[in-house]
Amino acid sequence: MTLEIVTIPCLADNYAFLLRDQATGTVALVDAPEAYPIQKALHEKGWKLDAVLLTHHHYDHVDGLPELVEEYHPQVIGAKEDAHRLPPLDLALNEGDTFMLGESVGHVIDVSGHTIGHIAFHFPSANAVFTADSLMALGCGRLFEGTPEMMWASLSKLAALPADTIVYSGHEYTASNAKFALTVEPNNTALQARIADVTAKRANGSPTVPSSLAEELATNPFLRAHLPEMKTAVGMEDASDQQVFTAIRKQKDNF
Ligand code: ZN
Ligand code: FE
């Protein structure tokens, strides 16, 4: 592992992540839901904060930033497309851009859908992708700004990453996502097994984030709209992948 990653529960059900590049000791934060738990984690680790990576403009991902900037003066990195409504950025990036966290290379992937200008951060050397409210454990973010077409395109990019990639998403929504997923594919045995695992983890207060991309590909209905077994499960054998995704997303909105 080139990065040490610490998961920090924030607010009611958000996650922030601290990433420390092992080679240089450089530390970045992904999203700033609130300052206190992040300051506490930095203090316990004895780490400074060199950079903050923002995924999208929603308050539950940025509201802790001013306090952290005041205390640590990190470089603030976010999407150029979203710069007009994000906190002031020191580095504004586009899809396909890369940046350095110490000696670790981060890649920017546009994952618009939940919001327009939502980005994910992929660190190939650590097999880690930070997806916030795009791809989530057993789910995907609600479409507040983008279209189903946009979200399907975004999820398809994430689905194409190596299957052993670890997915660090932004919320602990897995148990409720699981209930919906089971209504879509009640006969998916990988899903049934995963739900048992999720239930056990939640029963003892453990997070269900991160998850592996392989697990998501096998169980997350929003990554499975292109599969014949999913088309059969939803009775849309002749529909396009896009149409199946749109239908599943609409069912979830009304669930
Ligand atoms: Zn959001
Ligand atoms: Fe959120």
Side-chain angles (χ1 to χ4, degrees), residues 16-96:
F17 304 96
L18 284 172
L19 291 51
R20 183 178 180 274
D21 174 61
Q22 301 289 50
T24 60
T26 309
V27 176
L29 170 72
V30 176
D31 283 344
E34 59 176 332
Y36 177 70
I38 295 161
Q39 291 164 321
K40 187 166 173 274
L42 286 167
H43 191 257
E44 281 168 8
K45 285 283 188 181
W47 293 351
K48 57 204 170 22
L49 182 62
D50 301 292
V52 179
L53 315 179
L54 298 175
T55 60
H56 69 295
H57 71 92
H58 283 157
Y59 77 96
D60 62 314
H61 300 259
V62 302
D63 269 9
L65 186 69
E67 237 179 289
L68 296 168
V69 167
E70 197 178 300
E71 183 170 355
Y72 297 98
H73 309 287
Q75 181 186 34
V76 180
I77 300 175
K80 196 173 225 168
E81 209 180 333
D82 230 4
H84 61 285
R85 56 183 179 175
L86 286 170
L89 300 178
D90 302 304
L91 183 59
L93 297 173
N94 292 307
E95 156 112 336

Side-chain angles (χ1 to χ4, degrees), residues 3-176:
L3 294 177
E4 179 180 349
I5 300 172
V6 179
T7 300
I8 306 170
C10 292
L11 303 175
D13 54 29
N14 276 77
Y15 289 118
F17 304 96
L18 284 172
L19 291 51
R20 183 178 180 274
D21 174 61
Q22 301 289 50
T24 60
T26 309
V27 176
L29 170 72
V30 176
D31 283 344
E34 59 176 332
Y36 177 70
I38 295 161
Q39 291 164 321
K40 187 166 173 274
L42 286 167
H43 191 257
E44 281 168 8
K45 285 283 188 181
W47 293 351
K48 57 204 170 22
L49 182 62
D50 301 292
V52 179
L53 315 179
L54 298 175
T55 60
H56 69 295
H57 71 92
H58 283 157
Y59 77 96
D60 62 314
H61 300 259
V62 302
D63 269 9
L65 186 69
E67 237 179 289
L68 296 168
V69 167
E70 197 178 300
E71 183 170 355
Y72 297 98
H73 309 287
Q75 181 186 34
V76 180
I77 300 175
K80 196 173 225 168
E81 209 180 333
D82 230 4
H84 61 285
R85 56 183 179 175
L86 286 170
L89 300 178
D90 302 304
L91 183 59
L93 297 173
N94 292 307
E95 156 112 336
D97 285 348
T98 60
F99 61 96
M100 298 305 292
L101 173 62
E103 293 180 4
S104 301
V105 185
H107 293 248
V108 174
I109 305 172
D110 179 283
V111 290
S112 290
H114 174 71
T115 64
I116 294 180
H118 190 313
I119 54 176
F121 300 98
H122 179 220
F123 292 88
S125 65
N127 267 343
V129 66
F130 297 85
T131 59
D133 298 357
S134 58
L135 174 59
M136 303 177 108
L138 278 177
C140 75
R142 200 171 268 272
L143 300 176
F144 287 115
E145 298 175 9
T147 62
E149 289 75 14
M150 261 180 211
M151 183 59 107
W152 177 245
S154 297
L155 295 180
S156 298
K157 284 186 262 181
L158 296 170
L161 297 175
D164 61 350
T165 304
I166 304 300
V167 180
Y168 295 82
S169 52
H171 289 270
E172 184 59 59
Y173 291 164
T174 319
S176 75

